[in-house]
Amino acid sequence: ERVFTTYATSMFTGLVQAKGTLVRRTEKGADARLAVKGALGGEPLALGESISVDGVCLTVDVIVDPETFEVDASSETLAKTTLGSIPVLGTVNLERALAVGQRLGGHLVSGHVDGVGRVVEKAHVGESLKVTFEAPHELARFIAQKGSVCVSGVSLTVNNVERNRFDVMLIPHTLEKTTFAALDVGTRVNLEVDVLARYVARLLEADKEEAAPDSRFLDRLRASGVL
């Protein structure tokens, strides 16, 4: 008998809890059933809970064993993210949804991928790895120096931005705990921009459309360094 747990809109932190493996993909017309294995730890997996798989929020539909679960991915998800091209036995970053009262160590991530980017450059800097990504042009305005961005489920701080390219520094811990050690030029990644950047951009757009912008709110954003 299945017992489903219902959740409100799930949020994540971008702090990867485990590297998982795509153990099986079963085509269901244009959709697919994905079986993923990963030692997430903590409480046992629950039917209906949300898990970020390489930055994509998916719902656990079947629990195969304590470390393996199945999820359904729609044709839209497969087409708009990297999940449609990850090979069987490929590795993925996994994170369970943030629980109320849990420490927020990264930044708030929804698991709703905004677009797919790619690696264009990488270079070792000491023990760290500097990686430059190219984002879709429509996302460039949401990516700012020293701001946050989620790359394939990993919360990262943007070092520099030039047009629609940005670079990050991956420290040894990040390279060890995520799939990023395998990044190479041309690798495709899922991108989710910071929700704060999205709302600020919308606020500015709305102000241009209206005759009387909320100058006090804008002044507060400028004083806090957001604008």
Side-chain angles (χ1 to χ4, degrees):
E1 180 181 355
R2 291 185 177 184
V3 178
F4 289 88
T5 303
T6 58
Y7 294 83
T9 300
S10 299
M11 299 299 291
F12 305 90
T13 68
L15 298 184
V16 172
Q17 294 173 311
K19 285 188 284 188
T21 303
L22 177 62
V23 296
R24 184 171 57 257
R25 176 188 282 109
T26 305
E27 305 298 335
K28 299 172 62 178
D31 303 333
R33 168 63 65 90
L34 308 178
V36 181
K37 183 179 181 66
L40 283 163
E43 297 180 358
L45 293 171
L47 291 172
E49 77 166 281
S50 297
I51 295 181
S52 170
V53 180
D54 254 20
V56 184
C57 178
L58 298 172
T59 302
V60 174
D61 185 59
V62 173
I63 299 173
V64 179
D65 60 48
E67 294 187 356
T68 308
F69 59 93
E70 293 185 357
V71 296
D72 284 323
S74 69
S75 57
E76 177 77 3
T77 297
L78 297 173
K80 300 298 185 180
T81 73
T82 63
L83 292 186
S85 58
I86 292 177
V88 173
L89 300 185
T91 55
V92 290
N93 296 314
L94 301 177
E95 182 191 355
R96 300 179 80 167
L98 181 67
V100 175
Q102 190 174 343
R103 180 180 292 111
L104 177 61
H107 73 283
L108 287 176
V109 175
S110 69
H112 301 158
V113 172
D114 292 304
V116 175
R118 67 185 182 92
V119 177
V120 291
E121 292 179 15
K122 69 173 190 175
H124 287 280
V125 180
E127 296 185 347
S128 298
L129 183 68
K130 178 182 178 182
V131 181
T132 302
F133 298 96
E134 185 175 75
H137 286 280
E138 62 270 20
L139 298 183
R141 64 195 180 111
F142 301 117
I143 301 174
Q145 185 177 20
K146 304 308 177 185
S148 296
V149 65
C150 184
V151 179
S152 292
V154 184
S155 173
L156 298 172
T157 299
V158 177
N159 279 349
N160 295 291
V161 179
E162 185 175 350
R163 297 184 180 87
N164 66 320
R165 293 186 175 188
F166 65 95
D167 62 69
V168 300
M169 294 295 292
L170 304 179
I171 62 175
H173 178 82
T174 301
L175 294 171
E176 177 187 355
K177 299 298 183 180
T178 72
T179 62
F180 285 171
L183 286 178
D184 207 348
V185 173
T187 300
R188 299 168 71 244
V189 294
N190 294 319
L191 299 177
E192 181 184 333
V193 299
D194 187 2
V195 65
L196 177 60
R198 183 177 294 282
Y199 280 118
V200 169
R202 179 59 189 138
L203 173 67
L204 295 176
E205 291 169 356
D207 284 338
K208 292 179 181 178
E209 296 169 1
E210 298 176 2
D214 188 343
S215 59
R216 291 178 299 174
F217 184 53
L218 291 176
D219 288 342
R220 290 185 64 182
L221 290 177
R222 293 188 183 97
S224 63
V226 174
L227 298 180

